[in-house]
Amino acid sequence: MFTVYAFATPNSVKVPIALEEMGLSYELKSVNVREGEQKQADFLALNANGKVPVLVDADHADNAAPFILTESAAILVYLAEKTGTLLPLESAARARVFEQLFFHASGLSPAFGNAGFFKRSSPEPQPIAEERFSTEAERILGLIEHTLSEQRFIAGNSFSIADIAHFGWLWRRQFPGVTLDDKPSLSRWYDEIAARPAVERAIARTEALIPAT
């Protein structure tokens, strides 16, 4: 049994998607980042960085204390290696998945997150920063569109944890204010991923973490 501390965020949703795709049981615990719960002492004891998601594996192979892991990309790799799924064994294909994971962590996620922050959350207007990150987010979308025009999935012709990583931010693309308009290959890919039963289940469970208003 896994426990996932998460909220309805782009990074959080990746972990339930992976667990659902892998057929693994898990408990989903809400950490309401809108209310600052990620800064409370009990959560900081799990992740001193104060970020969701966090994975707790009570059945770690060492049979010692539960294994606690942070950073969504690292969690995806851990689960893929633990189950032997969604990560190729052949070296070149495996490297392509890691290439996209690193691109996601160093490029897509920061660009989308910063674009959204300067558009929606900055205490005062920062037009230069907003333009910088919005332009970068659009450039990255163009790169992904080109990639998907030549292959079915993000890292090749097989669904992998790289697709899960990219999907999280595209699921919440309204935050950075980007669209899939005029990107037919990206739209095709997004619709295909969103229609997967495991993805639908994960999204439903993740969205249920949002308190009713």
Side-chain angles (χ1 to χ4, degrees), residues 1-3 55-69 78-79 81-82:
M1 170 65 75
F2 297 90
T3 303
L55 177 78
V56 179
D57 182 357
D59 299 317
H60 187 50
D62 291 342
N63 294 319
F67 181 65
I68 301 172
L69 189 62
Y78 175 74
L79 292 173
E81 291 185 334
K82 188 179 180 76

Side-chain angles (χ1 to χ4, degrees), residues 141 143 192:
L141 284 182
L143 290 174
E192 181 175 351

Side-chain angles (χ1 to χ4, degrees), residues 12-190:
S12 289
V13 76
K14 304 169 192 175
V15 182
I17 289 175
L19 290 164
E20 293 283 351
E21 287 282 352
M22 295 167 184
L24 298 172
S25 298
Y26 63 101
E27 180 182 7
L28 198 56
K29 291 192 174 183
S30 176
V31 180
N32 190 333
V33 299
R34 297 176 183 174
E35 300 295 330
E37 291 179 359
Q38 76 279 17
K39 302 300 182 183
Q40 294 179 359
D42 55 347
F43 183 75
L44 292 173
L46 295 172
N47 183 8
N49 195 31
K51 304 285 186 180
V52 290
V54 173
L55 177 78
V56 179
D57 182 357
D59 299 317
H60 187 50
D62 291 342
N63 294 319
F67 181 65
I68 301 172
L69 189 62
T70 67
E71 297 297 327
S72 60
I75 294 171
L76 292 178
V77 173
Y78 175 74
L79 292 173
E81 291 185 334
K82 188 179 180 76
T83 61
T85 60
L86 303 185
L87 182 61
L89 295 177
E90 191 273 323
S91 61
R94 190 179 183 90
R96 289 299 181 202
V97 172
F98 283 117
E99 178 182 47
Q100 288 294 328
L101 284 176
F102 297 155
F103 170 65
H104 178 87
S106 67
L108 189 154
S109 186
F112 279 40
N114 281 302
F117 173 80
F118 286 110
K119 283 183 177 180
R120 302 175 184 276
S121 305
S122 179
E124 58 185 49
Q126 300 284 345
I128 295 176
E130 180 180 334
E131 174 66 18
R132 165 72 179 87
F133 289 110
S134 295
T135 299
E136 180 65 2
E138 290 293 343
R139 187 187 73 85
I140 286 171
L141 284 182
L143 290 174
I144 299 174
E145 168 68 17
H146 176 72
T147 296
L148 290 170
S149 72
E150 298 184 333
Q151 58 197 37
R152 182 178 176 187
F153 294 109
I154 289 293
N157 291 313
S158 297
F159 179 74
S160 73
I161 55 175
D163 295 283
I164 296 174
H166 284 355
F167 181 84
W169 266 111
L170 292 169
W171 172 62
R172 284 290 189 246
R173 61 189 178 273
Q174 71 275 14
F175 179 70
V178 299
T179 74
L180 305 185
D181 295 347
D182 301 319
K183 294 180 175 58
S185 299
L186 184 52
S187 296
R188 180 268 306 162
W189 170 86
Y190 181 86

